[in-house]
Structure formats: structure tokens, C-alpha cells
């Protein structure tokens, strides 16, 4: 059997895992319950017909964060992939922290980083809260969370329903689970777990046995939204209906090809712009690109396609910005 573009053994592993994970009974579903997982024949079709793996190119990093003071308020730094360091007037939040070299359960297989984290764990400021959007290895990295908690023993870790036991088995404490629309208040900040259109699973028999979603971080002065990993759905109109317009959003723009396979679970740049419009954001930043090779599009295409769409449609230049990992983003401008 011949496979295009990627090591044959790697493709067989993907098919094997999908086959066995399909034996598990799904517990959690998307708000649009007609959106299901792709079948094993679809997985085989994708992997057999995929083009050569995208060329490994690195996006540029910035050290601008070194020139600023972490004690300031209302800033964010993109560390890479879906990992953002966010500080409002109250608390410091880290989203989907992955600092490991691979997004994988093992250190010798799986997607390898194209760029290092823009800030190392030892250089982070004190972290009050870690929020996890879902349990895929590129968003829930146990090693990173354990290292962060060793340096921040009181850090609270917020996860979707179904994931708490996983973290506690690994020795992680202060873990709280959230269902959609569940919220908690810390000082003057409300943190809300919101719906997304995706799926979950880390092993052979846990497909959709935990939930997935985004996180809304709200004070009276500012609302900050992290969309996690998602396909396009009406969930974002519902978020806006419940909580009003969003000041700052972090929205995925990569890992979307081929569309026939990825469309239900990952937005492309055009759909990312629609999410920003549905949320009526003042400013948004693109994420989930440039760090790992997960799908078939070229590494730089998400940024290029986003720019092309905005220019051809005369859209607000702030609707979604692409920035360098390590840039200092002032959120209240």
C-alpha cells in the first residue's frame, strides 16, 4: 500500500486509532447534533489522497515581551498555537498551554513544533488560572500543566466536563470541570465556558467522553474570548446574544484542509472572519497556525488567505490580526 507525502507507518497509526476509538460510545455532542465524526472510510480516503506534507517553514518570533512588564494590566502575548498569556485588571490567565516539543502522548512520534514557545515556562509571570478548551494533545498538554503548577502551586485549572479525572490521575490539583454556560467568579472577573463545534479524545476508547468549548473572560470593563478549536456554527451568535459584543477575541485560522474532511471541526480564514462578525468583536487575533503541521494547507497560507479576504472584501483591518508569537498586545487600546 502506498501513501502520499507522509510516512506509511504514521498513516496506518492514524487509521488504527480512529478505528478503535470509534468503538467508544459518545457522551457529549455539538449543539448541532447532526454534526458527527467522520467515518473510518473518510479517514482512509483523506490519508490516502493527501498531498505531500507541507514544507516545514518557521514563522518569525518576537522578543517584544521582554521589553514590557508582566505586572501591567490588559495585555496578551501569543506564545504559539492556541496558547496565550492574558492579563486583565484582575488575574493572569494561560490558555491551552503546550510547551512540549510534540503534540503527542509520546516524545518520539506525532506533530513536532515548527517554532519554540515564544516564552518559556520559567519566564512566565505568576499564573492564576489555566483554561483548557478540550483534551486533544495540542491543547491539553499534561507535562506543561504539571511544570506550570510546580512553579504556581495555587494555580487553578479549568477543564471541560469529563477531563478532571485525567488531570488528577496525573497529580494535577485545583482542577474544576465546566459544562457549557457554567461560570465562576474570581475577584472581579467572570469566566464562562462556552460552546464550540468540535470533538474530544486522547486514546482508543474515549471519543467524545469529555466536552469541548471556548472561554469568555469578563469584567465590567472588558470581555475577552478564546474560541478554542472549532468549526463554524451558530454557537457564536448565541454567545453574543447572551453576553453582548466582545472586546478582544482569539480565533483559530489554521488546520482546515481538506475542507470536505476538516470543515465540521476547524474553521478556515473566511469562517474565522464570520465568527468575529457574529461576536461583533472590536479586535481579534488569529491563532492555531504556524506552530504544528496538523493538516494539508501550507504553513503560511492561513495568514495569506486571511489578508486576501480582508483586502478583497474591504473588511475592518482589526477584524482578525495575525501577529508574531512574542508580540506584546495591548488589549484596551
Amino acid at each position: 500500500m502506498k501513501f502520499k507525502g507522509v510516512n506509511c507507518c504514521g498513516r496506518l497509526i492514524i487509521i488504527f486509532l480512529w478505528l478503535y476509538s470509534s468503538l467508544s460510545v459518545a457522551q457529549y455532542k455539538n449543539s448541532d447534533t447532526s454534526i458527527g465524526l467522520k467515518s473510518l472510510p473518510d479517514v482512509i480516503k483523506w490519508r490516502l489522497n493527501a498531498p505531500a506534507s507541507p514544507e516545514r517553514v518557521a514563522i518569525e518570533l518576537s522578543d517584544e515581551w521582554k521589553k514590557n512588564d508582566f505586572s501591567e494590566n490588559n495585555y496578551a502575548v501569543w506564545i504559539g498555537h492556541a496558547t496565550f498569556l492574558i492579563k486583565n485588571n484582575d488575574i493572569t490567565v494561560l490558555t491551552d498551554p503546550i510547551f512540549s516539543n510534540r503534540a503527542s502522548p509520546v516524545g518520539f512520534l506525532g506533530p513536532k513544533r515548527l517554532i519554540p514557545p515564544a516564552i518559556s515556562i520559567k519566564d512566565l509571570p505568576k499564573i492564576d488560572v489555566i483554561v483548557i478548551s478540550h483534551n486533544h494533545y495540542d491543547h491539553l498538554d499534561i507535562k506543561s500543566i504539571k511544570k506550570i503548577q510546580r512553579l504556581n502551586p495555587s494555580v487553578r485549572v479549568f477543564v471541560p466536563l469529563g477531563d478532571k479525572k485525567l488531570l488528577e490521575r496525573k497529580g494535577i490539583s485545583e482542577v474544576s470541570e465546566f459544562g457549557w454556560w457554567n461560570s465562576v467568579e474570581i475577584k472581579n472577573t467572570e469566566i464562562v465556558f462556552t460552546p464550540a463545534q468540535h470533538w474530544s479524545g486522547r486514546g482508543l476508547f474515549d471519543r467524545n467522553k469529555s466536552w469541548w468549548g471556548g472561554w469568555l473572560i469578563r469584567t465590567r470593563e472588558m470581555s475577552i474570548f478564546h474560541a478554542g478549536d472549532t468549526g463554524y456554527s451558530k454557537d457564536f451568535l448565541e454567545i453574543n446574544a447572551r453576553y453582548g459584543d466582545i472586546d478582544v477575541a482569539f480565533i483559530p485560522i489554521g488546520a482546515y484542509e481538506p475542507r470536505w474532511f476538516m470543515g465540521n471541526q476547524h474553521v478556515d480564514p473566511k469562517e474565522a472572519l464570520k465568527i468575529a462578525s457574529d461576536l461583533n468583536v472590536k479586535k481579534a487575533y488569529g491563532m492555531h497556525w504556524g506552530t504544528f503541521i496538523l493538516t494539508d494547507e501550507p504553513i503560511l497560507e492561513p495568514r495569506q488567505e486571511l489578508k486576501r479576504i480582508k483586502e478583497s472584501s474591504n473588511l475592518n483591518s482589526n477584524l482578525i490580526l495575525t501577529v508574531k508569537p512574542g508580540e506584546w498586545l495591548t488589549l484596551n487600546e
Side-chain angles (χ1 to χ4, degrees):
M1 185 181 294
K2 254 190 170 177
F3 293 86
K4 298 178 182 178
V6 174
N7 179 281
C8 175
C9 179
R11 304 228 176 186
L12 286 173
I13 289 172
I14 291 171
I15 294 170
F16 175 81
L17 291 176
W18 197 278
L19 173 62
Y20 274 87
S21 64
S22 67
L23 298 176
S24 63
V25 177
Q27 183 174 346
Y28 295 94
K29 301 180 184 295
N30 290 299
S31 58
D32 180 352
T33 56
S34 69
I35 301 298
L37 294 170
K38 292 296 184 181
S39 67
L40 177 62
D42 284 334
V43 179
I44 295 172
K45 177 184 174 183
W46 169 39
R47 301 321 301 165
L48 285 175
N49 294 285
S53 292
E55 180 185 358
R56 289 184 65 87
V57 296
I59 62 175
E60 186 179 355
L61 277 70
S62 170
D63 63 357
E64 188 177 10
W65 63 272
K66 295 180 179 179
K67 304 169 186 175
N68 290 272
D69 187 346
F70 284 137
S71 66
E72 294 180 21
N73 286 315
N74 300 314
Y75 68 80
V77 180
W78 184 33
I79 294 175
H81 203 50
T83 307
F84 277 87
L85 173 67
I86 302 169
K87 174 74 179 295
N88 65 8
N89 285 320
D90 270 347
I91 57 175
T92 302
V93 179
L94 200 60
T95 67
D96 288 356
I98 177 166
F99 292 80
S100 295
N101 194 40
R102 290 186 186 271
S104 170
V106 295
F108 55 90
L109 284 175
K112 188 176 182 180
R113 298 189 77 103
L114 297 167
I115 56 171
I119 307 175
S120 68
I121 288 177
K122 65 180 179 63
D123 289 324
L124 290 170
K126 180 181 180 294
I127 305 298
D128 298 301
V129 177
I130 293 170
V131 294
I132 303 296
S133 63
H134 64 297
N135 70 9
H136 288 160
Y137 287 97
D138 57 322
H139 294 260
L140 173 52
D141 181 33
I142 296 292
K143 290 181 180 179
S144 294
I145 297 174
K146 291 181 73 171
K147 289 177 181 177
I148 293 163
Q149 192 162 74
R150 279 199 292 268
L151 294 174
N152 302 267
S154 63
V155 66
R156 301 174 68 177
V157 185
F158 296 165
V159 300
L161 276 174
D163 286 323
K164 181 177 180 178
K165 288 183 179 179
L166 167 66
L167 273 68
E168 289 184 335
R169 285 199 304 266
K170 300 295 185 178
I172 297 168
S173 60
E174 302 296 329
V175 182
S176 301
E177 285 186 321
F178 289 72
W180 288 347
W181 309 119
N182 288 167
S183 65
V184 65
E185 287 194 16
I186 303 174
K187 297 182 181 179
N188 296 309
T189 297
E190 180 185 21
I191 300 179
V192 187
F193 188 52
T194 61
Q197 184 170 288
H198 203 58
W199 59 283
S200 67
R202 290 171 72 85
L204 299 181
F205 301 105
D206 67 341
R207 186 60 54 93
N208 287 1
K209 289 191 174 181
S210 65
W211 230 337
W212 49 88
W215 292 95
L216 179 62
I217 303 164
R218 306 171 71 224
T219 64
R220 289 185 178 181
E221 293 77 26
M222 182 181 299
S223 58
I224 302 168
F225 180 68
H226 186 279
D229 209 351
T230 186
Y232 178 75
S233 73
K234 294 181 180 179
D235 293 329
F236 304 101
L237 290 171
E238 177 68 14
I239 292 167
N240 180 261
R242 289 179 181 236
Y243 294 103
D245 298 346
I246 303 297
D247 293 305
V248 181
F250 306 103
I251 301 174
I253 62 171
Y256 53 80
E257 287 290 352
R259 294 310 293 148
W260 70 267
F261 189 88
M262 292 293 168
N264 286 344
Q265 54 194 297
H266 290 153
V267 293
D268 61 14
K270 183 177 180 180
E271 291 168 327
L273 287 163
K274 185 159 178 53
I275 290 175
S277 177
D278 287 354
L279 296 171
N280 200 23
V281 299
K282 293 179 181 177
K283 184 181 291 186
Y285 298 95
M287 64 174 183
H288 205 263
W289 74 284
T291 309
F292 297 102
I293 297 176
L294 302 173
T295 50
D296 293 348
E297 76 275 3
I299 306 305
L300 302 180
E301 184 181 283
R303 179 173 64 191
Q304 296 164 347
E305 183 66 4
L306 184 68
K307 180 181 178 182
R308 184 194 68 78
I309 295 169
K310 289 201 297 185
E311 290 178 349
S312 64
S313 304
N314 293 316
L315 294 174
N316 180 346
S317 60
N318 284 339
L319 201 51
I320 298 183
L321 302 169
T322 54
V323 297
K324 300 173 186 175
E327 277 191 53
W328 189 268
L329 311 176
T330 302
L331 301 182
N332 59 348
E333 287 183 338

